[in-house]
């Protein structure tokens, strides 16, 4: 199945009936004795995660706990069947699986920085705005690829992004084996059994389970806010009900401290109540690339500068003329490349 741009479309492993056939199709089988486990790096109810070595490079190994239920086994290998279909610099790369011997294992590239939310908390205040936007841009690029092959993530959050060398960010945590525990404050039990991380999920997905790449864009907006806030919890200590109620009522997260307003405007576009009005990941990627190419746009001095410089508006008709009078025509050029209005056409309010 190939789309117009030649990318192999994502195939849901459940189409294969037998999960073992799916994983044999999408993942290379590795002999257990070729994997050297070095240290534990995490774990949940169903699996433990280790740092290890395989084929001469550092890897991460997720090992299914012995005695897991058949469903836990199916969910475990479905994650590998999903991950094995992806190939992109900003999506975690599967190396292979151990399924013919027990315990079963999933082997991926090692991401030394760990999850983005904990990385940001550790780095609080130590990263520049440009570095933060570079990380967000990586997530947008990975999501543009996943949405292009029609994969809907459903749980995009900073905790499910991994940080590698040079702070490269990669989308992770696929499949049904979500470690959203009963006691996990982010999981809200939904009638049809699925668990939904309320504060990251678009209103239409909460209300009637309408998940789409547009609901992934909403979640991406929350990830941008988490990143610019160095890992702050979205909506702080509000209850899930308060979040749903206030967001439905139009409330949106505010500009994080020291976050340029132009970055908050990207978040606000991702949180449009109407999912058809939200930007696609391709457009978000272009807007972030424009910001990275013109870092001066990240300084909000355009606002503080105007308060410092008085101009006689009565003689000026458009913002373009005003910028010219301040020898700041470059801003107009930058705004146009960033996909905003040509300010020479925007008249001044008298
Ligand atoms: C299939 C899969 C998905 C994700 C991972 C994974 C985690 C859940 S956490 C982590 N890396 C770290 O936490 C780095 C820790 C650094 C340290 O403490 O030394 C990874 C990962 N891929 O690196 C693993 C697998 C197998």
């Amino acid at each position: 199945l190939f789309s117009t741009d030649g990318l192999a479309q994502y195939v849901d492993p459940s189409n294969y009936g037998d999960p073992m056939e799916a994983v044999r199709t999408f993942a290379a089988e590795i002999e257990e004795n070729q994997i050297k486990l070095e240290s534990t790096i995490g774990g949940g109810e169903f699996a433990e995660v280790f740092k290890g070595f395989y084929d001469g490079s550092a890897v991460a190994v997720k090992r299914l706990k012995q005695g897991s239920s058949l469903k836990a086994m199916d969910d475990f290998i479905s994650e590998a069947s999903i991950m094995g279909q992806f190939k992109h610099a900003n999506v975690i790369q599967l190396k292979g699986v151990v399924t013919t011997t027990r315990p079963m294992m999933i082997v991926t590239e090692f991401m030394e920085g760990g999850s983005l939310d904990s990385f940001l908390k550790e780095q609080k205040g130590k990263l520049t705005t440009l570095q933060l936007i570079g990380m967000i841009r990586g997530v947008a690029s990975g999501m543009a690829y996943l949405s292009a092959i029609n994969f809907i993530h459903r749980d995009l959050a900073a905790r499910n992004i991994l940080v590698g060398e040079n702070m490269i960010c990669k989308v992770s945590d696929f499949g049904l084996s979500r470690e959203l525990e009963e006691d996990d404050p982010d999981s809200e039990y939904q009638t049809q059994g699925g668990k939904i991380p309320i504060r990251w999920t678009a209103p239409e997905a909460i209300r009637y389970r309408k998940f789409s790449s547009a609901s992934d864009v909403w979640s991406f907006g929350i990830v941008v806010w988490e990143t610019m806030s160095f890992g702050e919890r979205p909506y702080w200590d509000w209850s899930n009900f308060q979040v749903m109620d206030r967001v439905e009522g139009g409330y949106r997260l505010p500009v994080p401290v020291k976050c340029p307003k132009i970055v908050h405007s990207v978040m606000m576009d991702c949180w449009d109540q109407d999912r058809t009005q939200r930007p696609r990941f391709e457009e978000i990627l272009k807007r972030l690339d424009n910001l990275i190419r013109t870092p001066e746009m990240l300084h909000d001095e355009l606002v503080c500068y105007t308060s410092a410089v008085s101009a006689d508006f009565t003689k000026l008709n458009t913002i373009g003329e005003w910028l010219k009078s301040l020898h700041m025509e470059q801003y107009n050029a930058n705004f146009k490349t960033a996909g905003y209005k040509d300010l020479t056409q925007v008249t001044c309010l008298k």
Side-chain angles (χ1 to χ4, degrees):
L1 286 172
F2 288 86
S3 65
T4 47
D5 46 4
L7 285 172
Q9 292 301 285
Y10 162 70
V11 176
D12 189 321
S14 57
N15 291 6
Y16 279 77
D18 173 8
M20 291 309 286
E21 191 194 331
V23 79
R24 275 194 289 275
T25 307
F26 295 117
E29 181 71 19
I30 294 174
E31 272 195 48
E32 192 271 338
N33 59 22
Q34 290 178 28
I35 301 166
K36 296 287 164 276
L37 298 185
E38 185 194 78
S39 56
T40 300
I41 52 181
E45 184 188 358
F46 304 109
E48 298 155 285
V49 185
F50 302 88
K51 176 180 181 180
F53 289 89
Y54 163 69
D55 193 23
S57 59
V59 292
V61 182
K62 209 182 245 187
R63 189 175 72 182
L64 186 65
K65 283 182 178 169
Q66 301 281 44
S68 294
S69 67
L70 273 177
K71 175 167 182 337
M73 284 171 70
D74 286 353
D75 289 352
F76 183 78
I77 52 174
S78 79
E79 178 170 17
S81 303
I82 291 168
M83 203 182 279
Q85 298 182 55
F86 303 151
K87 183 161 180 50
H88 188 275
N90 298 102
V91 177
I92 182 103
Q93 184 64 52
L94 178 74
K95 297 269 187 180
V97 292
V98 174
T99 60
T100 53
T101 56
R102 294 291 179 274
M104 290 208 283
M105 300 184 201
I106 299 175
V107 183
T108 69
E109 60 181 315
F110 179 66
M111 299 295 283
E112 63 188 33
S115 62
L116 178 58
D117 60 333
S118 43
F119 180 83
L120 290 165
K121 288 167 194 158
E122 288 153 21
Q123 298 295 324
K124 188 166 174 62
K126 297 181 217 164
L127 300 174
T128 65
T129 299
L130 207 53
Q131 285 175 308
L132 294 173
I133 294 175
M135 299 175 84
I136 292 163
R137 190 254 179 223
V139 179
S141 183
M143 287 309 299
Y145 164 78
L146 291 175
S147 56
I149 63 172
N150 285 327
F151 178 77
I152 301 168
H153 192 290
R154 296 165 178 253
D155 191 9
L156 188 56
R159 65 177 172 276
N160 293 330
I161 303 293
L162 289 171
V163 182
E165 286 174 10
N166 307 319
M167 296 200 295
I168 188 169
C169 287
K170 306 200 182 197
V171 181
S172 183
D173 195 320
F174 304 105
L176 321 167
S177 63
R178 296 256 148 88
E179 300 273 333
L180 272 180
E181 299 305 308
E182 285 301 331
D183 58 351
D184 182 327
D186 294 333
S187 75
E188 176 82 11
Y189 210 78
Q190 292 298 304
T191 44
Q192 255 64 13
K195 291 198 182 111
I196 293 184
I198 292 298
R199 55 200 72 209
W200 280 268
T201 304
E204 74 278 2
I206 296 173
R207 204 180 323 116
Y208 54 100
R209 293 191 308 286
K210 176 64 191 156
F211 286 91
S212 64
S213 286
S215 59
D216 277 350
V217 164
W218 177 291
S219 307
F220 174 80
I222 303 291
V223 173
V224 177
W225 190 88
E226 290 184 276
T227 305
M228 301 310 291
S229 310
F230 285 96
E232 176 67 78
R233 179 170 175 71
Y235 312 97
W236 311 283
D237 60 349
W238 294 8
S239 71
N240 281 335
F241 179 78
Q242 283 173 323
V243 171
M244 286 187 281
D245 192 47
R246 293 170 183 174
V247 167
E248 285 276 343
Y251 177 84
R252 294 295 183 270
L253 288 165
V255 190
V257 171
K258 291 192 187 150
C259 170
K261 287 162 194 59
I262 200 164
V263 176
H264 187 246
S265 70
V266 173
M267 301 178 210
M268 292 300 282
D269 292 348
C270 294
W271 300 331
D272 197 305
Q273 180 68 24
D274 178 352
R275 65 188 173 85
T276 66
Q277 295 307 304
R278 293 172 205 154
R280 302 209 183 296
F281 283 110
E282 282 303 343
E283 179 198 333
I284 294 170
L285 191 53
K286 285 197 187 79
R287 284 168 67 176
L288 294 173
D289 277 339
N290 281 332
L291 290 181
I292 291 165
R293 267 200 290 270
T294 48
E296 64 273 18
M297 286 187 75
L298 298 176
H299 302 301
D300 285 341
E301 71 256 11
L302 188 61
V303 178
C304 57
Y305 191 89
T306 49
S307 58
V309 179
S310 63
D312 179 355
F313 280 108
T314 54
K315 295 192 181 61
L316 303 166
N317 295 310
T318 69
I319 293 185
E321 286 174 18
W322 167 62
L323 285 171
K324 199 174 174 61
S325 71
L326 301 173
H327 310 296
M328 291 168 71
E329 299 86 328
Q330 179 58 34
Y331 272 94
N332 186 29
N334 293 344
F335 264 75
K336 276 169 38 183
T337 46
Y340 285 81
K341 263 191 190 322
D342 175 355
L343 295 169
T344 55
Q345 309 308 316
V346 180
T347 54
C348 290
L349 300 174
K350 294 287 183 194

